[in-house]
Amino acid sequence: MMPTIRWRAPQPDPDRKQKSMMFRRKLLAVFSLTVFLSVATVAFLVSAVTRRAFDRSEDERTAALVMQFRHEFYRQGDEVVRRVEAVAGSEAVSHMALALNRASADSGPYFELAKAAAENNQLDFLEFVESDGTIISSAQWPAKFGYPEAAVTAFPAHADQGAFLKQEELQGATALGLFAVRAARVGEHPVYVLGGRRLDKTFLAALDMPAGTRVLLYQNEGDSFAPALLVDPSVSATQDIGAAEKLQPLVDAVRQSKKEMPGLVRWSGDHSEDELFHAIPLFGAGAGNDRPLLAILLIGNSRRTYVELMRHIRSAALMVGGGGILLAILLSSWSAARVTRPVEQLAHAAQEVAAGNWSARVEVRGKDELAQLAEAFNRMTAELLGQKERLMQAERVAAWRELARRLAHELKNPLFPLQLTVENLVRARQQNPEQFDEVFRESSRTLLAEIENLKGIIGKFSEFSKMPQPQLQLVQVNDVIRGVRQLFQAQLEAPGCAKISCELQLDPLLEPISADAELLHRAISNLILNALEAMPEGGVLTLRTWREVGKILVAVADTGSGLTPEECERIFTPYYTSKQHGTGLGLAIAQSVVSDHGGRIYVQSEPGQGSTFAIELPRNARSERAAT
């Protein structure tokens, strides 16, 4: 009899499309990440270069403004010195100095002389002071007439020098000015002329400021920051006291350190309104570290241009990044389709080969590596198909040889008694005709018994060759196990036989599956029969069922003599048996039944340790639908 080979149709892989999509997503992620990192790196480098360029530009502008301020400061100082010298050399001041050097001189007639001289020479401050420090006349505060000037001791040192900063006390306030001192030397005692101009909005407005920059001046008075002392010639947020206080940390830091320092001021949540200020301390007259800090010059550079440029860079980066990501999506889709489609075809073809369709082929396109892989796959399947044909032929020949050997072995045993019986009949007919009837009766019984034996052998072989396909329906495996046990109950309890106890370990939550109950009954019966024959001296027969992921398992275990590793490998081979009287078809039939149900059967055994035959049956979707 030729063995039949059953091919199972390849099952579609529901995860194949999902795996393909995962690969495409990964490819898209790689492309998008590459674009993002590239754009982010370029944007970062451009931003860093732009920041350094702006910092350098701001430093240069600040230095230019400081230089311009100093130039204007010195120019205004020279102008103050020139005008004070003109006042000191005027005829009116000379007459006043000459008169005051006389005995019993009276300074009363010169009470308003300073005011007229200040107006004529465009000075904001002007005072005439005697050598002993008494104020003769004051343009800015006439009530100071006759009062002493505290700074008179420094007048001789400043009389021949340039302009200097000084805080001038006014009625109810103070003012910061650029002053100069000159002496009218007519007579023994000189008369000092102290004049100056305010350092205020007018002075700051006279500075030629580049676009985006401005200058502020803080008059340093008192121990704490006062927004009212901040001089700002521009219309800005600093006119608001709350906004002006945002300059306090920078002003306090310069007041404490008495050094130049920069500081970023945020006026609002809009970064384009930020300003980078460079604070410069302005000292009054004095020597070394004793010079008083009279004011702080604040030069501000607007960061609007920088912030707007950075916004443009970010916008451009976002646009380029978005375009790059869109391009990455298109490129990844094209690349994925170019790469994954052949790979998917190869995977699908490999699944078909694994399922038994060895004639599967892959379409070859192009001459790249994927095409070479497809060609190699086609060559492999062609070689496998050829090897399969050769293997099938060899298996057919081996099967026919084994069948012939088994038939010869099985038929030879009953034929030998048949031959002896017929020979006895012939001999009795010839030698003892009177006893022939008795010999004939005994020989007839022997002939009929051996013929019945032959019919049984032929029936078993015929039964194996006509194994029917399973007729699937909803089956409870536990019920099949109980039915088989009931079938063998009488044999297990028969008097005079070795005692064999049967234990049931059935999973109570086992759900029904789609199967052929009759064929399963037959397969399990063969396994139980094999287990009973393995325990001629008695033992324990265990029938067990349990569940695992996606499958149901049935185990038939005995405590018999066990099997060797070689016997375990060949135990399911048709016509193979280790028994003296047996066809070797019982386990082969069980394997065929289990295989037709999409499951598998295997054995675990060691010599002297008994054997366990396990059946795995799938809990497929078909059985689940049938259960509902």
Side-chain angles (χ1 to χ4, degrees):
M1 180 188 306
M2 292 181 60
T4 58
I5 301 178
R6 298 184 178 90
W7 301 105
R8 285 191 298 168
Q11 301 295 322
D13 185 2
D15 297 331
R16 183 168 61 91
K17 185 176 180 180
Q18 183 178 359
K19 294 175 181 177
S20 172
M21 293 302 295
M22 289 178 60
F23 176 77
R24 295 187 182 185
R25 291 193 191 101
K26 290 179 181 178
L27 197 60
L28 173 60
V30 170
F31 282 143
S32 299
L33 183 61
T34 302
V35 172
F36 173 77
L37 291 178
S38 301
V39 174
T41 302
V42 172
F44 174 78
L45 292 177
V46 172
S47 300
V49 172
T50 304
R51 179 185 294 274
R52 286 196 296 268
F54 264 84
D55 291 343
R56 187 165 54 251
S57 175
E58 288 174 350
D59 292 340
E60 293 173 356
R61 286 199 299 176
T62 302
L65 284 174
V66 172
M67 185 178 295
Q68 182 181 355
F69 175 81
R70 288 173 178 169
H71 179 270
E72 185 67 16
F73 183 86
Y74 293 144
R75 189 189 68 79
Q76 293 279 2
D78 292 342
E79 182 67 18
V80 169
V81 170
R82 186 180 64 81
R83 293 182 183 276
V84 171
E85 286 179 347
V87 172
S90 66
E91 184 177 353
V93 173
S94 298
H95 283 301
M96 181 184 63
L98 182 61
L100 292 177
N101 274 280
R102 296 172 184 167
S104 65
D106 183 13
S107 60
Y110 309 106
F111 178 76
E112 295 184 354
L113 181 61
K115 184 176 181 180
E119 292 177 355
N120 292 333
N121 290 275
Q122 298 179 351
L123 292 173
D124 298 321
F125 308 106
L126 185 62
E127 288 181 345
F128 298 140
V129 183
E130 292 189 65
S131 60
D132 62 355
T134 303
I135 298 175
I136 302 171
S137 178
S138 176
Q140 64 271 19
W141 192 3
K144 292 174 66 177
F145 172 78
Y147 282 88
E149 172 61 51
V152 70
T153 56
F155 284 178
H158 292 296
D160 297 325
Q161 295 182 1
F164 58 90
L165 281 179
K166 180 179 178 298
Q167 280 187 348
E168 180 67 18
E169 292 185 4
L170 302 176
Q171 188 174 3
T174 59
L176 183 65
L178 191 57
F179 287 83
V181 176
R182 288 297 181 266
R185 300 183 183 276
V186 180
E188 181 180 359
H189 301 290
V191 173
Y192 293 103
V193 179
L194 176 63
R197 285 182 173 177
R198 289 177 181 271
L199 206 62
D200 55 6
K201 290 185 178 181
T202 304
F203 178 85
L204 297 178
L207 297 176
D208 185 15
M209 304 296 298
T213 60
R214 61 178 178 145
V215 62
L216 290 77
L217 186 68
Y218 179 78
Q219 298 180 23
N220 186 32
E221 292 183 19
D223 297 331
S224 60
F225 179 83
L229 298 177
L230 184 65
V231 179
D232 183 4
S234 63
V235 179
S236 66
T238 56
Q239 291 178 339
D240 180 24
I241 294 179
E245 289 180 348
K246 294 184 178 180
L247 290 167
Q248 180 178 353
L250 180 59
V251 171
D252 290 343
V254 175
R255 291 175 63 186
Q256 183 177 2
S257 65
K258 295 184 179 181
K259 295 180 181 179
E260 297 183 13
M261 61 178 55
L264 182 65
V265 177
R266 299 190 183 278
W267 299 114
S268 66
D270 186 2
H271 291 291
S272 63
E273 297 183 0
D274 296 349
E275 283 186 282
L276 181 63
F277 280 92
H278 194 83
I280 303 172
L282 301 178
F283 298 95
N289 295 328
D290 295 333
R291 295 184 302 166
L293 178 62
L294 300 182
I296 299 174
L297 184 68
L298 300 166
I299 301 175
N301 289 317
S302 174
R303 295 178 65 84
R304 180 177 297 275
T305 305
Y306 169 74
V307 172
E308 290 179 352
L309 180 59
M310 294 302 296
R311 287 175 179 173
H312 288 317
I313 292 175
R314 284 194 293 268
S315 299
L318 289 175
M319 291 179 62
V320 173
I325 292 175
L326 180 60
L327 181 62
I329 293 174
L330 298 177
L331 184 60
S332 64
S333 299
W334 177 83
S335 300
R338 180 71 178 86
V339 175
T340 59
R341 186 175 293 112
V343 173
E344 291 173 3
Q345 293 176 353
L346 280 172
H348 181 65
Q351 290 174 355
E352 290 187 355
V353 171
N357 184 15
W358 290 9
S359 60
R361 293 292 184 272
V362 178
E363 183 180 358
V364 179
R365 295 180 179 178
K367 296 182 179 180
D368 55 6
E369 290 79 359
L370 291 174
Q372 295 175 4
L373 180 60
E375 291 177 354
F377 179 83
N378 291 338
R379 288 196 301 271
M380 180 194 71
T381 54
E383 293 176 359
L384 287 175
L385 188 59
Q387 292 178 2
K388 170 197 152 187
E389 294 295 337
R390 292 190 294 271
L391 181 61
M392 289 178 62
Q393 293 178 4
E395 288 179 348
R396 291 191 190 101
V397 172
W400 278 111
R401 289 177 178 174
E402 180 66 17
L403 178 60
R405 186 186 69 80
R406 294 301 306 170
L407 282 174
H409 175 76
E410 295 296 332
L411 295 177
K412 183 170 63 174
N413 290 334
L415 285 177
F416 182 69
L418 287 175
Q419 180 182 359
L420 290 179
T421 301
V422 172
E423 289 177 352
N424 287 336
L425 282 174
V426 173
R427 188 180 304 108
R429 180 71 179 82
Q430 293 176 353
Q431 297 178 359
N432 299 307
E434 63 283 358
Q435 299 179 354
F436 177 76
D437 291 338
E438 183 180 353
V439 174
F440 178 78
R441 285 192 299 270
E442 293 179 359
S443 299
S444 297
R445 286 193 297 270
T446 302
L447 287 174
L448 292 174
E450 295 301 329
I451 290 173
E452 189 65 27
N453 188 16
L454 283 174
K455 288 173 63 178
I457 293 173
I458 295 172
K460 289 182 180 180
F461 279 92
S462 177
E463 179 184 8
F464 180 69
S465 66
K466 297 178 181 179
M467 284 294 298
Q469 288 296 316
Q471 302 298 317
L472 301 180
Q473 58 183 354
L474 205 60
V475 174
Q476 174 56 259
V477 177
N478 285 343
D479 294 342
V480 176
I481 298 294
R482 294 188 184 97
V484 176
R485 181 182 182 277
Q486 185 65 30
L487 177 66
F488 284 91
Q489 188 67 32
Q491 183 176 347
L492 294 174
E493 298 176 355
C497 297
K499 181 174 179 56
I500 297 177
S501 61
C502 182
E503 296 181 359
L504 292 182
Q505 299 176 5
L506 306 182
D507 187 351
L509 301 179
L510 207 66
E511 68 271 17
I513 64 171
S514 190
D516 189 319
E518 183 178 349
L519 291 180
L520 283 182
H521 187 283
R522 185 174 180 181
I524 297 172
S525 298
N526 287 345
L527 293 180
I528 293 177
L529 184 60
N530 185 78
L532 296 178
E533 292 176 351
M535 298 183 290
E537 298 179 359
V540 179
L541 173 66
T542 304
L543 305 180
R544 180 190 174 200
T545 60
W546 72 97
R547 296 168 298 162
E548 289 186 2
V549 179
K551 57 188 175 182
I552 289 176
L553 292 95
V554 178
V556 177
D558 63 64
T559 57
S561 58
L563 300 171
T564 64
E566 181 182 2
E567 289 175 333
C568 289
E569 292 180 1
R570 303 183 59 190
I571 195 68
F572 296 107
T573 303
Y575 319 121
Y576 172 80
T577 181
S578 58
K579 305 169 186 174
Q580 184 177 2
H581 300 288
T583 60
L585 295 177
L587 295 180
I589 291 174
Q591 184 185 48
S592 177
V593 170
V594 173
S595 178
D596 288 341
H597 281 77
R600 75 183 188 103
I601 185 172
Y602 57 91
V603 61
Q604 295 178 345
S605 180
E606 293 182 6
Q609 301 296 324
S611 303
T612 299
F613 288 84
I615 296 175
E616 292 182 359
L617 297 174
R619 291 193 295 173
N620 48 32
R622 180 174 180 181
S623 65
E624 294 174 1
R625 288 196 299 268
T628 59

